[in-house]
Amino acid sequence: MTTRDIVFVAVGVVTALSALLSVTTKHVVHAALWLLVSLGSLAGAYLVLGQELVGLVQLLVYVGAIVVLVLFALMLTRAPIGPHAEIDTPWWQRAAGAVLGAATTALLASLLLPLLSGATVDLDAPAATTPRIAQAVFGTWVWPFELLSVLLLVALVGAFAVSRLVLHREDPAADGAVRRAEGVRR
Amino acid sequence: MNLVLAPWLEVVLRALAVLVAFLVLPLLVGQTEHKVMAHMQGRLGPMYAGGFHGWAQLVADGVKFVQKEDITPARADRQVFRLAPFVALIPYLVALAVIPLSPKVVGATVDASVVLVLAVIGVGIIGTLMAGWASANKYSLLGAMRAAAQLVSYELPMVLAVASVALAAGTLSLVGIGNAWNPWWLLWQLPGAVVFLVSALAELQRPPFDMPLADSEIVFGAFTEYTGLRFAFFLLAEYAGIVVMSLLFAVLFLGGWHGPFEPWVGWVWTLLKGFLVAVVVIWLRVSWPRMREDQLQRLAWVWLVPMALFQLAITAVGVVVFPR
Amino acid sequence: MGDGILPGLVKGLGTTARSLTRRTHTAEYPDVAPALPPRSRGVIALTEENCTSCMLCARECPDWCIYIDSHKEELPPTTPGGRARQRNVLDRFAIDFSLCMYCGICIEACPFDALHWSPEFEYAETDIRDLLHEKDRLGAWMATVPPPPALDPGSVDPAEVTAAAKPPRGAAGAGPRAGSAPRAGAGAPGRTRGDGPAARPTRVRPESPAGSDRAAGSLQGASAAAPERPAADRAVDATKPMPALGDTGSPAAEGDSTQVLPEVTPDEEGRE
């Protein structure tokens, strides 16, 4: 049991607990904030495991951007302070979520199977991990990576198209309102 | 610097030094803002606190803030409301710890320190969001929304500008980038520097990008309900942000410790350049009016992002054509 | 991002940078006394001897912040067989500076130059009631009243100079003018208007430079209810009981001063 083990276990416990809290709390915004803690401590776990870049990118992208967007969207919907019955999830949704979560956990846990045969990674050897990750992402896995970026681009264009479609729908009253608004803008 | 200390003592000393810098440098910037802004407006600024030209004004302000009552609104989300100032403040402390003043004078050496700084600065906005939402105040919420929208828009050009420098230096370490700097970068990385400065101002919510605070329309944005020490923490976070961004700009784009007598006084050069950038930040605040929300977004997406991409392209061409 | 934004931004930077290098405009007031322009309106000073209790100032005051109390006194006849004269004696003159809006109308309205602007402005109080300045305090401000500005070259002589140069009425210098010699002496500074501080009535104490008749009047004591009153037309004709002003006042103002008495009871009015 080294210091690293202790820290890792601590960070892992924080991650798991905050994840649990984020799905059980009745406060919508608290859920997002617990998600934030969970993602942040996950970045901590990456750091403990010596994957500095992954951890920092996790922090930059998930904590700094994605959760901010989630919070932003939540606040746009007039999230109430305190628990609220109307936005509580029904039981079947919870059950479906539990099943999905369990399935994902099982899937990810299967990655740990090689550990049973005694595979180890030396974390103490000083290694510049950044170039290795870069080589992995832009070498071995470049096609999935590019595919993902295309997917994101499609989603972006789709969102843009949807927002434009709403603006010009064939509702005479709304259309008139839009035209008037545009006239005012011009 | 050949002193050999016990590892734990060194850690404690470094942490202490970072903490002192974290407490002193923002006050220095704040006092500079007081005086420079005053003289730019034909005023004298604080003149009494401390005796000589009001040098202790911010100390006096701090004492005042400590004495004030710590109020939490009745309908606020108490825990989130009380936690928010620390969430806003701590990221800048972490960021300051990894910004090198010279290759030797650095709080903590991290391999990918540029990414770390960018990541924790992005976390700082969560404090504002939490404050705005937990205050149960419409002005606060509006301010938080504006802050979030602004941050999400300006994070991208900022990361791209920093990526350009990292690409040019071939490393993600701030020390490495500073060491790789040479005067040609002033020209080569000029568009990136402009993009970085503008988006840094926007991330700090400094005028002309102070739409989230806009005291003439939404009181004081997300901080409307705050009093006493918690409010002071938000202010400290703002000025610590200026320090972090100025030093970062100095290291990334102005060569940090490069200058005469570099081996001995490299850290002085970094501090001096950072201070100059901070003065520019103050200067812009005094000179320019606030931008409207739509103008803000337009500037980010129509001008800064393409400009940052253009910078990335010319950096890539430069790296390929003139390999080091 | 239209045209002209960038030049505008640069111009803004230039403006602030320029004012950074220039002197500041801050008045470091408690440390450095302000250089007030001449005729600054700081506080209103009172020359008590000039006041006839005519109440013009109190009436013109837009916010009614001037309080005047007075009574009448009988002056013994200056010549044997003459008639006794009446004059107003000021009991109270107070300005409430917590109400005053510094319009200066009272000073404009005063026909006898009893009120003056003083540039002193440091009389703030912690209790608002202390802002009610009584006549001794108002009189003390007279020491701070600056001399009036010099007349423009070639302008006509001031009214008091022309009045003093006029030959006395009734060529022989009859009974009413008998007391004019000492009064002319008292009024002499008025003729050197514009020459310097001496030209200003700067006396604070009412009795110090007073004419002989004034001193006699005050010695005689109060006799508000005069047994026999002179007719109004004769009072207009008579010499004024204003020692400090000499012969300078206009006849109309003199008439006013006797007609607008503050404490005229209805029966007295009826007798007039």
Side-chain angles (χ1 to χ4, degrees):
Chain A
M1 201 76 174
T2 60
T3 323
R4 188 192 294 273
D5 290 335
I6 298 169
V7 173
F8 182 72
V9 168
V11 172
V13 167
V14 170
T15 310
L17 270 185
S18 50
L20 209 61
L21 277 169
S22 105
V23 292
T24 53
T25 181
K26 300 272 185 194
H27 302 224
V28 188
V29 174
H30 283 197
L33 291 175
W34 281 122
L35 180 66
L36 187 97
V37 175
S38 178
L39 292 172
S41 43
L42 190 61
Y46 288 139
L47 282 182
V48 176
L49 291 177
Q51 293 299 323
E52 206 176 78
L53 188 73
V54 180
L56 291 176
V57 168
Q58 162 93 6
L59 207 61
L60 181 68
V61 174
Y62 283 92
V63 177
I66 304 259
V67 178
V68 168
L69 273 182
V70 168
L71 280 171
F72 187 73
L74 272 183
M75 290 175 185
L76 271 184
T77 61
R78 288 200 198 172
I81 289 178
H84 205 272
E86 269 182 39
I87 48 179
D88 212 0
T89 42
W91 67 269
W92 57 268
Q93 230 173 50
R94 292 186 200 195
V99 168
L100 269 178
T104 315
T105 310
L107 193 68
L108 289 176
S110 67
L111 286 176
L112 299 176
L113 284 178
L115 286 183
L116 295 176
S117 58
T120 56
V121 175
D122 183 17
L123 290 176
D124 292 320
T129 57
T130 311
R132 270 198 298 169
I133 290 172
Q135 268 158 14
V137 169
F138 293 103
T140 320
W141 302 99
V142 68
W143 288 115
F145 183 79
E146 290 299 325
L147 217 57
L148 272 179
S149 62
V150 169
L151 178 69
L152 285 177
L153 186 67
V154 168
L156 205 66
V157 172
F160 184 69
V162 166
S163 68
R164 296 295 288 182
L165 278 179
V166 169
L167 208 74
H168 292 292
R169 73 174 154 220
E170 290 302 315
D171 180 358
D175 203 32
V178 166
R179 281 214 190 111
R180 246 174 286 129
E182 279 180 345
V184 167
R185 221 177 303 143
R186 283 193 206 108
Chain B
M1 278 300 185
N2 291 327
L3 241 64
V4 178
L5 298 167
W8 67 268
L9 189 62
E10 191 183 331
V11 168
V12 168
L13 280 182
R14 279 173 184 270
L16 215 61
V18 170
L19 196 65
V20 167
F22 185 67
L23 291 178
V24 171
L25 292 180
L27 291 193
L28 214 61
V29 171
Q31 185 69 17
T32 310
E33 176 166 42
H34 267 324
K35 294 308 260 188
V36 169
M37 188 157 87
H39 281 273
M40 280 181 169
Q41 296 169 342
R43 299 181 289 118
L44 284 173
M47 287 298 283
Y48 287 100
F52 180 75
H53 284 264
W55 66 270
Q57 182 61 46
L58 288 168
V59 180
D61 282 349
V63 172
K64 180 196 74 175
F65 278 127
V66 169
Q67 291 169 342
K68 283 194 168 185
E69 186 185 357
D70 184 22
I71 299 173
T72 308
R75 303 190 59 186
D77 190 333
R78 292 187 77 81
Q79 294 109 18
V80 177
F81 183 85
R82 287 163 168 267
L83 198 64
F86 303 98
V87 177
L89 188 59
I90 304 245
Y92 289 116
L93 179 62
V94 176
L96 200 61
V98 297
I99 293 182
L101 297 184
S102 78
K104 281 176 195 152
V105 186
V106 51
T109 32
V110 182
D111 191 24
S113 43
V114 164
V115 187
L116 177 67
V117 171
L118 287 180
V120 295
I121 287 174
V123 172
I125 188 67
I126 302 222
T128 311
L129 268 180
M130 285 166 69
W133 179 77
S135 295
N137 178 322
K138 283 175 185 167
Y139 294 122
S140 299
L141 189 58
L142 268 178
M145 304 293 284
R146 287 180 176 184
Q150 188 166 315
L151 180 106
V152 169
S153 301
Y154 281 86
E155 183 112 336
L156 183 63
M158 185 162 173
V159 170
L160 287 177
V162 173
S164 153
V165 181
L167 187 61
T171 169
L172 285 177
S173 150
L174 279 169
V175 176
I177 291 174
N179 280 333
W181 187 86
N182 70 61
W184 280 109
W185 283 31
L186 285 178
L187 205 63
W188 186 27
Q189 301 292 336
L190 184 63
V194 172
V195 169
F196 182 88
L197 190 65
V198 173
S199 28
L201 276 177
E203 298 231 344
L204 294 171
Q205 298 160 25
R206 294 279 301 175
F209 302 99
D210 62 338
M211 204 66 194
L213 298 181
D215 46 9
S216 48
E217 39 187 285
I218 52 171
V219 191
F220 207 60
F223 314 139
T224 302
E225 295 287 353
Y226 279 87
T227 57
L229 212 51
R230 285 175 211 279
F231 181 67
F233 278 160
F234 275 121
L235 285 189
L236 185 61
E238 180 183 345
Y239 286 93
I242 299 178
V243 170
V244 166
M245 289 297 189
S246 303
L247 287 178
L248 202 58
F249 188 86
V251 171
L252 291 179
F253 295 100
L254 301 180
W257 46 88
H258 290 278
F261 310 107
E262 182 192 326
W264 299 287
V265 293
W267 58 278
V268 176
W269 285 114
T270 311
L271 279 182
L272 212 63
K273 289 170 183 176
F275 183 74
L276 272 182
V277 178
V279 169
V280 169
V281 168
I282 295 165
W283 187 15
L284 300 185
R285 173 188 175 172
V286 181
S287 304
W288 291 349
R290 182 185 304 139
M291 288 180 85
R292 223 166 44 212
E293 192 63 41
D294 61 322
Q295 293 171 332
L296 274 173
Q297 299 294 337
R298 198 175 162 74
L299 176 68
W301 293 105
V302 176
W303 291 90
L304 293 188
V305 171
M307 217 163 134
L309 288 173
F310 170 70
Q311 170 68 67
L312 213 54
I314 59 173
T315 306
V317 169
V319 167
V320 171
V321 174
F322 307 104
R324 289 186 298 131
Chain C
M1 295 285 146
D3 292 327
I5 282 188
L6 216 56
L9 293 179
V10 173
K11 199 176 164 192
L13 287 176
T15 304
T16 44
R18 226 176 303 123
S19 57
L20 180 68
T21 60
R22 290 192 182 147
R23 284 194 63 80
T24 57
H25 309 297
T26 306
E28 293 180 85
Y29 158 56
D31 298 329
V32 180
L36 292 176
R39 296 166 164 230
S40 290
R41 299 183 173 193
V43 69
I44 296 168
L46 169 73
T47 310
E48 201 186 329
E49 310 81 58
N50 283 9
C51 180
T52 60
S53 320
C54 67
M55 296 292 282
L56 281 179
C57 53
R59 283 192 193 176
E60 294 295 329
C61 179
D63 35 17
W64 290 55
C65 66
I66 302 181
Y67 308 103
I68 299 177
D69 290 340
S70 65
H71 66 270
K72 288 179 183 163
E73 281 180 1
E74 182 104 340
L75 294 183
T78 49
T79 50
R83 66 173 171 84
R85 298 185 183 281
Q86 278 190 333
R87 59 186 294 272
N88 292 321
V89 176
L90 194 62
D91 294 325
R92 178 179 188 227
F93 191 104
I95 298 180
D96 191 347
F97 284 108
S98 65
L99 294 178
C100 177
M101 62 185 196
Y102 301 90
C103 62
I105 288 177
C106 54
I107 292 163
E108 300 297 326
C110 181
F112 299 115
D113 275 356
L115 294 174
H116 304 276
W117 276 121
S118 158
E120 290 296 315
F121 59 94
E122 293 168 306
Y123 51 96
E125 302 283 356
T126 48
D127 187 342
I128 196 170
R129 288 167 294 185
D130 295 339
L131 280 173
L132 181 66
H133 289 201
E134 293 293 341
K135 66 178 174 187
D136 51 343
R137 204 152 165 215
L138 290 172
W141 291 122
M142 275 312 292
T144 62
V145 173
L151 291 171
D152 291 336
S155 64
V156 292
D157 280 341
E160 58 265 36
V161 173
T162 47
K166 260 199 291 189
R169 230 178 316 182
R177 305 301 300 182
S180 67
R183 279 198 297 279
R191 278 188 278 141
T192 57
R193 180 178 159 89
D195 284 354
R200 201 81 204 185
T202 54
R203 283 158 300 179
V204 178
R205 303 230 163 267
E207 56 270 31
S208 52
S212 56
D213 49 356
R214 164 73 197 244
S218 61
L219 276 175
Q220 201 186 33
S223 57
E228 41 180 21
R229 284 177 54 84
D233 53 347
R234 282 172 61 196
V236 169
D237 188 35
T239 48
K240 303 156 301 297
M242 293 308 302
L245 220 77
D247 301 331
T248 58
S250 69
E254 289 162 27
D256 277 352
S257 74
T258 51
Q259 279 160 9
V260 189
L261 295 176
E263 291 174 341
V264 176
T265 53
D267 56 335
E268 279 177 333
E269 194 117 52
R271 260 193 279 156
E272 278 188 39

